[in-house]
Amino acid sequence: MKEINALIEGFRNFKLEYTLDEKGKYRELAEYGPHSKILMIACCDSRADPAIITNSEAGDLMVIRNIANLVPPYEPNNSFQETQAALEFAVSYLAVEHVIVMGHSRCGGIRSLLTRLIDDADAILPLDKWTSVAEPAAKKVLVSMEGASLDEKSCACSREALKASLTNLRSYPWIADREQKEKLKIHGWYFNLADGDLQSYEESSGQFETLF
C-alpha cells in the first residue's frame, strides 16, 4: 500500500499548490480549458515522462503516450484510431503550433519488436501488432547492425522509429496542410536515459544533435 499512499500524498500536495492557493492555478485551467501550443508524443515508459523531463506544469503540454512513442501512417480505416484521433484533436481543434515526437533509449517496446523479428515470430498479440508500425525501421537496423548487441540495436532502432514517425506525421492531411502554411512545426527529440542528454533530430543533416 505504500506506493498507493505515496500517490495520495502527492495528490494532496498537488491540490494545495493548484487549487487551494490564492492564485488558483488550476481554477483558471478548469475555466478556460487547455491552452497548450505544444503536443508531445511520448512513450508509456515511466522513466520518460515528458512533463517531468521538461519540468512542465499543468496546462503546458498536451501529451499522447503509447508504447514506443509511435505514430502510425494515416489510414482512416485502420485499427490504430486512438493516436490518430488525438492528433486530429490537437492539431485541428486546439491548433497546437508544435508537435514533438520524443523517443528514448532502452525502450522495452522497441526491444520486444526486435526480439520478435529475431525469433521470426508473427505479430499476433496486441503489443506485437502495435509495434509492427516500426517494423521497417527495425529490419533496417537488424541488417545494418548484425554484429551489435541487442541494447545497441534497440537504441539505434528507437532513433530509426522516431524518424519514421516524423514521416508518418506528414501523411496526415491536416498536419501536412498546417505545416505547409507554416502554422505548425514538427520536431524529433531523443532522451538518453543513461546520461540524461536530450537530442534533437535535424532533418536537414540527418543527425541527432544535443540540445542540452
Side-chain angles (χ1 to χ4, degrees), residues 27 35 38 56 63 65 67 81 89 91 128 166 174 204:
R27 293 175 186 172
H35 63 273
I38 301 173
S56 297
V63 180
R65 298 188 73 173
I67 297 296
Q81 293 298 313
F89 182 74
V91 176
D128 298 335
L166 297 180
W174 58 85
S204 58

Side-chain angles (χ1 to χ4, degrees), residues 93-113:
Y93 290 84
L94 298 184
V96 296
E97 297 174 1
H98 300 272
V99 176
I100 303 170
V101 181
M102 189 181 74
H104 69 96
S105 62
R106 302 184 182 183
C107 177
I110 291 295
R111 191 183 182 94
S112 74
L113 167 62

Side-chain angles (χ1 to χ4, degrees), residues 12 26 48 87 90 130 144 155 164 178 186:
R12 186 187 74 82
Y26 217 74
L87 283 169
W130 170 250
S144 63
C155 291
R178 288 186 64 82
I186 294 174

Side-chain angles (χ1 to χ4, degrees), residues 58-124:
D60 289 347
L61 299 174
M62 179 178 178
V63 180
I64 299 173
R65 298 188 73 173
N66 60 46
I67 297 296
N69 49 269
L70 299 176
V71 177
Y74 176 66
E75 295 179 14
N77 298 318
N78 77 6
S79 58
F80 302 134
Q81 293 298 313
E82 295 84 359
T83 295
Q84 295 197 49
L87 283 169
E88 181 186 4
F89 182 74
V91 176
S92 298
Y93 290 84
L94 298 184
V96 296
E97 297 174 1
H98 300 272
V99 176
I100 303 170
V101 181
M102 189 181 74
H104 69 96
S105 62
R106 302 184 182 183
C107 177
I110 291 295
R111 191 183 182 94
S112 74
L113 167 62
L114 288 170
T115 301
R116 178 176 66 79
L117 293 177
I118 291 170
D119 293 341
D120 196 24
D122 294 329
I124 298 175

Side-chain angles (χ1 to χ4, degrees), residues 141-177:
V141 168
L142 289 175
V143 170
S144 63
M145 300 181 64
E146 185 175 356
S149 69
L150 184 56
D151 282 341
E152 291 171 328
K153 291 175 182 175
S154 294
C155 291
C157 188
S158 291
R159 289 185 169 92
E160 289 297 324
L162 188 155
K163 291 188 281 186
S165 286
L166 297 180
T167 298
N168 289 344
L169 275 174
R170 294 185 171 97
S171 69
Y172 291 75
W174 58 85
I175 290 177
D177 178 67

